[in-house]
Amino acid sequence: MKIMRPLGAVGVVASAALVLAACGSDPAASNSGTTSGAPAATGTAQVDCGGKSPLSGEGSTAQNNAIEIFKQQYGKKCSGQQVNYTASGSGAGVKQFNGGQVDFGGTDSPATAADLEGATKRCASPAWNIPMVVGPVAVGYHLSGVDKLTLTPTVIAKIFNGGIKNWNDPAIKAVKGNESLNLPDKPIQVVSRSDESGTTDNFQKYLGAAAKDVWTQGAGKKFNGGVGNGAQGSNGVASTVKGADGAITYVEGAFAKDGVTPALIDSGSGGVALTSENVAKALDAAKFLNEGSNDLALDLKAIYASNVPGAYPLLLTTYELVCSKYSSADVSKAVKAFLTVSATDGQQPLSAKGYVPIPQGLQEKVLTAVKAIS
C-alpha cells in the first residue's frame, strides 16, 4: 500500500516533506485489502470530546513517543481530557487490558487468537486491533570505526542465534559493501529484550520469513535466540548497546541514534538504509489478515520475505487493542475521541520522532473502525 514520504527518516535522513492531516468526520471505508495509490488526506478531525478522564492505557514501548504526541494533540483538541499510558511492553499491555486494568492496550504485533479470546471475554464483545503507528525496526550496533555496515537476513539470523560470534567473521566481511571494512577481532555482544515484546515478535517473524533455513527458533514475544543478554524495554536495549563497544540489538528505528547505528539490510538487491522512503516502498505489499473486518491486523509476512529493490523490509505496526463495545459509555466516548485524534491530528508530528504516518487508505479504515466502537 502507498504510504506518504514524510520528513524525518531515521538513520539516513530522507528528504521528503509531506504532511498527513485528518480526514472528515465520516470517511468511507476502502473496499480494498491494501491502500495502494491512496493520496494524502486533508482537513482536521471532528471529535466528540468528553467521557472518562484520565483514560488509561499500557503496553508497547515502541509507540511510547508516538503516544506522547497523541496525548498532546488530544489535550489540544479536547481541553482538559487526559490519558495515562504506561510503557511496560506489549505482553504486559495485553495482559493488563485483558484483565480489565486499562482502557486500551498497546502492542507491537496483532494480538494472538488466544489474546483476542481473553480480550473478548473482558469486553463481552469482539476486541479489535487498531493500527496507529508504523515504525521501522533497526538492527542497531555499536562498533568503533564502523559507521556503515550491511547485513543480510541470513547473517542477522546467525548473529542472533549464536552462529556468528565475532565481528571479523568471514560471513560478515563477505556481504557486499563490507569488503573494505576493518572489522575487529571482537566478540559480538547480542542484546535482546528481556521483557515480552511485540518488537521481539516482529523481529523473529522477520527472521523466520527472510532467513527461514537459518532461523528455526520460531517467533513470539520472548526472545528465542538463546545468546547474549537481555534488557528491559526499547530504552534499555538502546542504552545497553550505546555503552558496549561490539554490541548489537534489534530496536525500533526511533531509538537507533546517538551511538546506536542502524545497519543496512541486503535482501538480495543490495544494502538498503533505514529511511521513511524505503519503509514506504516495503509497505506497498501489505495486506490485512481479516478482510472486511474492523479488526485491522496487517499481514506483514509478505513484506518480511520480499526482495523489492530499495525497500527496507524490517518494520512493525503498533496497535491499540480495544473493545468493540465497552460496558461504560464514558470509557467508550473517551477511547473514540482519543483514537480519532491519534489517527488524524496526531499523525503529522510522528515523522520527527522516526515513525512513518499512516496512509490515507489505512486512515479511512481506522476511522471507520473507531466510529463503530460503542
mmCIF file of all heavy atoms in Angstrom, residues 175-209:
data_model
loop_
_atom_site.group_PDB
_atom_site.id
_atom_site.type_symbol
_atom_site.label_atom_id
_atom_site.label_comp_id
_atom_site.label_asym_id
_atom_site.label_seq_id
_atom_site.Cartn_x
_atom_site.Cartn_y
_atom_site.Cartn_z
ATOM 1 N N VAL A 175 29.678 -9.866 2.921
ATOM 2 C CA VAL A 175 28.471 -9.150 2.485
ATOM 3 C C VAL A 175 28.879 -7.953 1.632
ATOM 4 O O VAL A 175 29.774 -7.186 1.997
ATOM 5 C CB VAL A 175 27.643 -8.687 3.700
ATOM 6 C CG1 VAL A 175 26.445 -7.857 3.231
ATOM 7 C CG2 VAL A 175 27.172 -9.883 4.520
ATOM 8 N N LYS A 176 28.222 -7.793 0.492
ATOM 9 C CA LYS A 176 28.546 -6.702 -0.418
ATOM 10 C C LYS A 176 28.425 -5.360 0.297
ATOM 11 O O LYS A 176 27.400 -5.050 0.909
ATOM 12 C CB LYS A 176 27.614 -6.729 -1.631
ATOM 13 C CG LYS A 176 27.960 -5.705 -2.695
ATOM 14 C CD LYS A 176 27.033 -5.823 -3.893
ATOM 15 C CE LYS A 176 27.379 -4.794 -4.958
ATOM 16 N NZ LYS A 176 26.476 -4.902 -6.136
ATOM 17 N N GLY A 177 29.482 -4.579 0.215
ATOM 18 C CA GLY A 177 29.534 -3.294 0.908
ATOM 19 C C GLY A 177 30.435 -3.311 2.113
ATOM 20 O O GLY A 177 30.855 -2.263 2.609
ATOM 21 N N ASN A 178 30.752 -4.516 2.609
ATOM 22 C CA ASN A 178 31.609 -4.641 3.794
ATOM 23 C C ASN A 178 33.050 -4.996 3.451
ATOM 24 O O ASN A 178 33.891 -5.117 4.345
ATOM 25 C CB ASN A 178 31.060 -5.729 4.726
ATOM 26 C CG ASN A 178 29.715 -5.389 5.323
ATOM 27 O OD1 ASN A 178 29.292 -4.234 5.285
ATOM 28 N ND2 ASN A 178 29.028 -6.385 5.860
ATOM 29 N N GLU A 179 33.363 -5.156 2.147
ATOM 30 C CA GLU A 179 34.669 -5.677 1.746
ATOM 31 C C GLU A 179 35.833 -4.830 2.268
ATOM 32 O O GLU A 179 36.883 -5.355 2.629
ATOM 33 C CB GLU A 179 34.760 -5.770 0.218
ATOM 34 C CG GLU A 179 33.726 -6.689 -0.408
ATOM 35 C CD GLU A 179 32.463 -5.956 -0.795
ATOM 36 O OE1 GLU A 179 32.255 -4.805 -0.325
ATOM 37 O OE2 GLU A 179 31.670 -6.512 -1.584
ATOM 38 N N SER A 180 35.649 -3.520 2.314
ATOM 39 C CA SER A 180 36.745 -2.632 2.711
ATOM 40 C C SER A 180 36.751 -2.302 4.195
ATOM 41 O O SER A 180 37.628 -1.560 4.674
ATOM 42 C CB SER A 180 36.689 -1.332 1.900
ATOM 43 O OG SER A 180 35.496 -0.628 2.182
ATOM 44 N N LEU A 181 35.805 -2.835 4.937
ATOM 45 C CA LEU A 181 35.722 -2.520 6.361
ATOM 46 C C LEU A 181 36.823 -3.226 7.150
ATOM 47 O O LEU A 181 37.179 -4.368 6.868
ATOM 48 C CB LEU A 181 34.364 -2.941 6.922
ATOM 49 C CG LEU A 181 33.121 -2.215 6.388
ATOM 50 C CD1 LEU A 181 31.870 -2.756 7.075
ATOM 51 C CD2 LEU A 181 33.233 -0.709 6.594
ATOM 52 N N ASN A 182 37.320 -2.523 8.145
ATOM 53 C CA ASN A 182 38.294 -3.107 9.060
ATOM 54 C C ASN A 182 37.531 -3.647 10.270
ATOM 55 O O ASN A 182 37.382 -2.966 11.281
ATOM 56 C CB ASN A 182 39.321 -2.060 9.488
ATOM 57 C CG ASN A 182 40.393 -2.653 10.391
ATOM 58 O OD1 ASN A 182 40.613 -3.863 10.413
ATOM 59 N ND2 ASN A 182 41.063 -1.785 11.142
ATOM 60 N N LEU A 183 37.018 -4.852 10.150
ATOM 61 C CA LEU A 183 36.204 -5.442 11.203
ATOM 62 C C LEU A 183 37.107 -6.060 12.267
ATOM 63 O O LEU A 183 37.967 -6.885 11.957
ATOM 64 C CB LEU A 183 35.271 -6.504 10.617
ATOM 65 C CG LEU A 183 34.229 -5.966 9.626
ATOM 66 C CD1 LEU A 183 33.504 -7.123 8.940
ATOM 67 C CD2 LEU A 183 33.233 -5.061 10.334
ATOM 68 N N PRO A 184 36.941 -5.691 13.512
ATOM 69 C CA PRO A 184 37.853 -6.127 14.575
ATOM 70 C C PRO A 184 37.603 -7.566 15.020
ATOM 71 O O PRO A 184 36.509 -8.113 14.869
ATOM 72 C CB PRO A 184 37.524 -5.159 15.718
ATOM 73 C CG PRO A 184 36.074 -4.826 15.519
ATOM 74 C CD PRO A 184 35.888 -4.779 14.022
ATOM 75 N N ASP A 185 38.637 -8.153 15.588
ATOM 76 C CA ASP A 185 38.526 -9.475 16.209
ATOM 77 C C ASP A 185 37.941 -9.271 17.601
ATOM 78 O O ASP A 185 38.647 -9.284 18.608
ATOM 79 C CB ASP A 185 39.907 -10.140 16.273
ATOM 80 C CG ASP A 185 39.824 -11.556 16.848
ATOM 81 O OD1 ASP A 185 38.709 -12.072 17.006
ATOM 82 O OD2 ASP A 185 40.889 -12.130 17.145
ATOM 83 N N LYS A 186 36.654 -9.047 17.617
ATOM 84 C CA LYS A 186 35.969 -8.695 18.855
ATOM 85 C C LYS A 186 34.673 -9.503 18.957
ATOM 86 O O LYS A 186 33.946 -9.660 17.956
ATOM 87 C CB LYS A 186 35.639 -7.195 18.837
ATOM 88 C CG LYS A 186 34.955 -6.667 20.100
ATOM 89 C CD LYS A 186 34.528 -5.223 19.907
ATOM 90 C CE LYS A 186 35.702 -4.282 19.892
ATOM 91 N NZ LYS A 186 36.302 -4.105 21.242
ATOM 92 N N PRO A 187 34.366 -10.022 20.136
ATOM 93 C CA PRO A 187 33.121 -10.778 20.298
ATOM 94 C C PRO A 187 31.893 -9.902 20.034
ATOM 95 O O PRO A 187 31.876 -8.717 20.390
ATOM 96 C CB PRO A 187 33.155 -11.235 21.757
ATOM 97 C CG PRO A 187 34.591 -11.179 22.146
ATOM 98 C CD PRO A 187 35.162 -10.025 21.377
ATOM 99 N N ILE A 188 30.906 -10.470 19.412
ATOM 100 C CA ILE A 188 29.628 -9.782 19.225
ATOM 101 C C ILE A 188 28.800 -9.955 20.489
ATOM 102 O O ILE A 188 28.561 -11.074 20.941
ATOM 103 C CB ILE A 188 28.864 -10.345 18.019
ATOM 104 C CG1 ILE A 188 29.671 -10.142 16.730
ATOM 105 C CG2 ILE A 188 27.497 -9.684 17.890
ATOM 106 C CD1 ILE A 188 29.035 -10.804 15.516
ATOM 107 N N GLN A 189 28.373 -8.845 21.063
ATOM 108 C CA GLN A 189 27.531 -8.891 22.255
ATOM 109 C C GLN A 189 26.073 -8.682 21.831
ATOM 110 O O GLN A 189 25.668 -7.568 21.510
ATOM 111 C CB GLN A 189 27.947 -7.808 23.248
ATOM 112 C CG GLN A 189 29.394 -7.906 23.714
ATOM 113 C CD GLN A 189 29.754 -6.792 24.673
ATOM 114 O OE1 GLN A 189 29.052 -6.557 25.651
ATOM 115 N NE2 GLN A 189 30.832 -6.072 24.385
ATOM 116 N N VAL A 190 25.324 -9.754 21.808
ATOM 117 C CA VAL A 190 23.915 -9.679 21.427
ATOM 118 C C VAL A 190 23.097 -9.169 22.605
ATOM 119 O O VAL A 190 23.217 -9.673 23.724
ATOM 120 C CB VAL A 190 23.388 -11.057 20.981
ATOM 121 C CG1 VAL A 190 21.876 -11.031 20.785
ATOM 122 C CG2 VAL A 190 24.085 -11.494 19.704
ATOM 123 N N VAL A 191 22.275 -8.160 22.349
ATOM 124 C CA VAL A 191 21.383 -7.617 23.371
ATOM 125 C C VAL A 191 19.953 -7.780 22.875
ATOM 126 O O VAL A 191 19.603 -7.313 21.784
ATOM 127 C CB VAL A 191 21.676 -6.131 23.648
ATOM 128 C CG1 VAL A 191 20.738 -5.598 24.731
ATOM 129 C CG2 VAL A 191 23.134 -5.934 24.052
ATOM 130 N N SER A 192 19.137 -8.445 23.651
ATOM 131 C CA SER A 192 17.742 -8.674 23.290
ATOM 132 C C SER A 192 16.826 -8.064 24.344
ATOM 133 O O SER A 192 17.279 -7.607 25.395
ATOM 134 C CB SER A 192 17.461 -10.176 23.164
ATOM 135 O OG SER A 192 17.656 -10.805 24.427
ATOM 136 N N ARG A 193 15.542 -8.071 24.069
ATOM 137 C CA ARG A 193 14.571 -7.611 25.058
ATOM 138 C C ARG A 193 14.379 -8.695 26.114
ATOM 139 O O ARG A 193 14.161 -9.863 25.789
ATOM 140 C CB ARG A 193 13.245 -7.300 24.373
ATOM 141 C CG ARG A 193 13.256 -6.033 23.527
ATOM 142 C CD ARG A 193 13.164 -4.784 24.392
ATOM 143 N NE ARG A 193 11.855 -4.691 25.007
ATOM 144 C CZ ARG A 193 10.825 -4.067 24.454
ATOM 145 N NH1 ARG A 193 10.943 -3.486 23.273
ATOM 146 N NH2 ARG A 193 9.656 -4.002 25.083
ATOM 147 N N SER A 194 14.457 -8.325 27.377
ATOM 148 C CA SER A 194 14.238 -9.279 28.459
ATOM 149 C C SER A 194 12.761 -9.412 28.793
ATOM 150 O O SER A 194 12.325 -10.440 29.326
ATOM 151 C CB SER A 194 15.003 -8.842 29.711
ATOM 152 O OG SER A 194 14.564 -7.563 30.151
ATOM 153 N N ASP A 195 11.977 -8.388 28.466
ATOM 154 C CA ASP A 195 10.543 -8.429 28.697
ATOM 155 C C ASP A 195 9.831 -8.965 27.454
ATOM 156 O O ASP A 195 10.392 -8.989 26.367
ATOM 157 C CB ASP A 195 10.011 -7.040 29.035
ATOM 158 C CG ASP A 195 10.412 -5.996 27.988
ATOM 159 O OD1 ASP A 195 11.535 -6.086 27.461
ATOM 160 O OD2 ASP A 195 9.603 -5.100 27.682
ATOM 161 N N GLU A 196 8.604 -9.394 27.617
ATOM 162 C CA GLU A 196 7.823 -9.813 26.464
ATOM 163 C C GLU A 196 7.551 -8.591 25.592
ATOM 164 O O GLU A 196 7.120 -7.552 26.091
ATOM 165 C CB GLU A 196 6.509 -10.471 26.894
ATOM 166 C CG GLU A 196 6.699 -11.837 27.501
ATOM 167 C CD GLU A 196 5.380 -12.582 27.617
ATOM 168 O OE1 GLU A 196 4.320 -11.974 27.389
ATOM 169 O OE2 GLU A 196 5.412 -13.777 27.943
ATOM 170 N N SER A 197 7.791 -8.728 24.301
ATOM 171 C CA SER A 197 7.753 -7.551 23.435
ATOM 172 C C SER A 197 7.248 -7.894 22.044
ATOM 173 O O SER A 197 7.671 -8.893 21.449
ATOM 174 C CB SER A 197 9.170 -6.956 23.336
ATOM 175 O OG SER A 197 9.269 -6.073 22.247
ATOM 176 N N GLY A 198 6.370 -7.042 21.525
ATOM 177 C CA GLY A 198 5.937 -7.186 20.145
ATOM 178 C C GLY A 198 7.065 -6.926 19.171
ATOM 179 O O GLY A 198 7.067 -7.447 18.054
ATOM 180 N N THR A 199 8.037 -6.097 19.581
ATOM 181 C CA THR A 199 9.204 -5.865 18.729
ATOM 182 C C THR A 199 9.975 -7.168 18.538
ATOM 183 O O THR A 199 10.407 -7.495 17.431
ATOM 184 C CB THR A 199 10.128 -4.797 19.351
ATOM 185 O OG1 THR A 199 9.356 -3.647 19.688
ATOM 186 C CG2 THR A 199 11.222 -4.395 18.381
ATOM 187 N N THR A 200 10.142 -7.907 19.625
ATOM 188 C CA THR A 200 10.795 -9.211 19.544
ATOM 189 C C THR A 200 10.012 -10.143 18.621
ATOM 190 O O THR A 200 10.587 -10.849 17.778
ATOM 191 C CB THR A 200 10.911 -9.846 20.941
ATOM 192 O OG1 THR A 200 11.676 -8.984 21.791
ATOM 193 C CG2 THR A 200 11.578 -11.211 20.882
ATOM 194 N N ASP A 201 8.707 -10.149 18.771
ATOM 195 C CA ASP A 201 7.861 -10.995 17.950
ATOM 196 C C ASP A 201 8.011 -10.657 16.468
ATOM 197 O O ASP A 201 8.206 -11.546 15.623
ATOM 198 C CB ASP A 201 6.404 -10.832 18.383
ATOM 199 C CG ASP A 201 5.475 -11.830 17.717
ATOM 200 O OD1 ASP A 201 5.924 -12.941 17.396
ATOM 201 O OD2 ASP A 201 4.286 -11.502 17.540
ATOM 202 N N ASN A 202 7.967 -9.375 16.134
ATOM 203 C CA ASN A 202 8.118 -8.957 14.744
ATOM 204 C C ASN A 202 9.508 -9.292 14.209
ATOM 205 O O ASN A 202 9.660 -9.733 13.059
ATOM 206 C CB ASN A 202 7.852 -7.460 14.609
ATOM 207 C CG ASN A 202 6.376 -7.135 14.538
ATOM 208 O OD1 ASN A 202 5.750 -7.194 13.484
ATOM 209 N ND2 ASN A 202 5.807 -6.796 15.682
ATOM 210 N N PHE A 203 10.522 -9.059 15.023
ATOM 211 C CA PHE A 203 11.897 -9.341 14.601
ATOM 212 C C PHE A 203 12.069 -10.828 14.301
ATOM 213 O O PHE A 203 12.656 -11.219 13.276
ATOM 214 C CB PHE A 203 12.868 -8.888 15.685
ATOM 215 C CG PHE A 203 14.313 -9.165 15.374
ATOM 216 C CD1 PHE A 203 14.947 -8.540 14.305
ATOM 217 C CD2 PHE A 203 15.051 -10.040 16.153
ATOM 218 C CE1 PHE A 203 16.276 -8.797 14.012
ATOM 219 C CE2 PHE A 203 16.389 -10.296 15.875
ATOM 220 C CZ PHE A 203 17.005 -9.668 14.798
ATOM 221 N N GLN A 204 11.542 -11.684 15.169
ATOM 222 C CA GLN A 204 11.685 -13.122 14.962
ATOM 223 C C GLN A 204 10.816 -13.609 13.795
ATOM 224 O O GLN A 204 11.200 -14.527 13.071
ATOM 225 C CB GLN A 204 11.359 -13.858 16.261
ATOM 226 C CG GLN A 204 12.373 -13.548 17.356
ATOM 227 C CD GLN A 204 12.162 -14.344 18.632
ATOM 228 O OE1 GLN A 204 13.106 -14.892 19.182
ATOM 229 N NE2 GLN A 204 10.943 -14.406 19.136
ATOM 230 N N LYS A 205 9.677 -12.987 13.586
ATOM 231 C CA LYS A 205 8.863 -13.317 12.414
ATOM 232 C C LYS A 205 9.606 -12.930 11.133
ATOM 233 O O LYS A 205 9.556 -13.645 10.125
ATOM 234 C CB LYS A 205 7.520 -12.599 12.477
ATOM 235 C CG LYS A 205 6.540 -13.197 13.471
ATOM 236 C CD LYS A 205 5.251 -12.391 13.527
ATOM 237 C CE LYS A 205 4.256 -13.030 14.489
ATOM 238 N NZ LYS A 205 3.025 -12.216 14.645
ATOM 239 N N TYR A 206 10.280 -11.779 11.185
ATOM 240 C CA TYR A 206 11.070 -11.352 10.033
ATOM 241 C C TYR A 206 12.158 -12.377 9.721
ATOM 242 O O TYR A 206 12.320 -12.802 8.571
ATOM 243 C CB TYR A 206 11.697 -9.988 10.310
ATOM 244 C CG TYR A 206 12.839 -9.655 9.374
ATOM 245 C CD1 TYR A 206 12.591 -9.300 8.046
ATOM 246 C CD2 TYR A 206 14.153 -9.724 9.812
ATOM 247 C CE1 TYR A 206 13.634 -9.029 7.171
ATOM 248 C CE2 TYR A 206 15.208 -9.446 8.944
ATOM 249 C CZ TYR A 206 14.941 -9.097 7.631
ATOM 250 O OH TYR A 206 15.976 -8.835 6.767
ATOM 251 N N LEU A 207 12.896 -12.802 10.740
ATOM 252 C CA LEU A 207 13.967 -13.780 10.521
ATOM 253 C C LEU A 207 13.400 -15.104 10.015
ATOM 254 O O LEU A 207 13.993 -15.757 9.156
ATOM 255 C CB LEU A 207 14.746 -13.994 11.814
ATOM 256 C CG LEU A 207 15.564 -12.797 12.322
ATOM 257 C CD1 LEU A 207 16.253 -13.157 13.636
ATOM 258 C CD2 LEU A 207 16.581 -12.340 11.286
ATOM 259 N N GLY A 208 12.250 -15.499 10.540
ATOM 260 C CA GLY A 208 11.634 -16.740 10.098
ATOM 261 C C GLY A 208 11.180 -16.699 8.650
ATOM 262 O O GLY A 208 11.138 -17.732 7.974
ATOM 263 N N ALA A 209 10.838 -15.496 8.175
ATOM 264 C CA ALA A 209 10.410 -15.354 6.784
ATOM 265 C C ALA A 209 11.583 -15.114 5.852
ATOM 266 O O ALA A 209 11.642 -15.671 4.748
ATOM 267 C CB ALA A 209 9.410 -14.194 6.669
#
